[in-house]
């Protein structure tokens, strides 16, 4: 997965969390971020990576996200690797 597509997946994941007050509150608690920090850092690879790490650590939420946006459940992991700069140029990872 290319970095620009990974950023899209991460931002969709953030939007998915933000759609539900309980989901976003649990995420903020898990990360220690405040709402202002999240808004200010949403475009950063660190925050996007944190969003994806959170989904990857919570399987039920990961599955719900994948179904909600119509991606495979492996897309967040591929996006996380791409954001970290670990892209296999021979892989066929896609949404």
């Amino acid at each position: 997965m290319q970095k620009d597509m990974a950023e899209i997946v991460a931002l969709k994941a953030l939007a998915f969390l933000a759609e539900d007050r309980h989901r976003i509150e649990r995420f903020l608690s898990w990360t220690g971020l405040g709402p202002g920090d999240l808004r200010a850092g949403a475009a950063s690879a660190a925050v996007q990576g944190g969003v994806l790490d959170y989904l990857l650590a919570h399987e039920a939420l990961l599955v719900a996200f994948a179904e909600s946006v119509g991606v495979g459940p492996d897309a967040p992991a591929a996006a996380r690797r791409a954001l970290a700069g670990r892209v296999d140029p021979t892989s066929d990872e896609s949404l």
Side-chain angles (χ1 to χ4, degrees):
M1 178 179 295
Q2 298 297 317
K3 186 176 181 199
D4 58 342
M5 187 58 67
E7 291 170 350
I8 291 169
V9 171
L11 292 173
K12 285 183 178 186
L14 178 56
F16 171 78
L17 294 176
E19 289 172 352
D20 180 274
R21 185 175 65 89
H22 296 291
R23 284 193 301 235
I24 197 67
E25 287 175 353
R26 284 191 298 268
F27 171 73
L28 292 173
S29 176
W30 190 76
T31 62
L33 293 173
D37 300 323
L38 184 58
R39 280 189 293 276
S44 75
V47 169
Q48 291 174 5
V51 168
L52 295 170
D53 287 342
Y54 181 74
L55 282 182
L56 293 168
H58 299 88
E59 185 176 1
L61 200 55
L62 171 66
V63 171
F65 164 71
E67 290 175 356
S68 172
V69 299
V71 298
D74 59 333
R80 185 64 182 102
R81 287 190 300 274
L83 287 176
R86 296 187 307 257
V87 178
D88 179 357
T90 63
S91 75
D92 189 24
E93 292 176 340
S94 63
L95 290 178

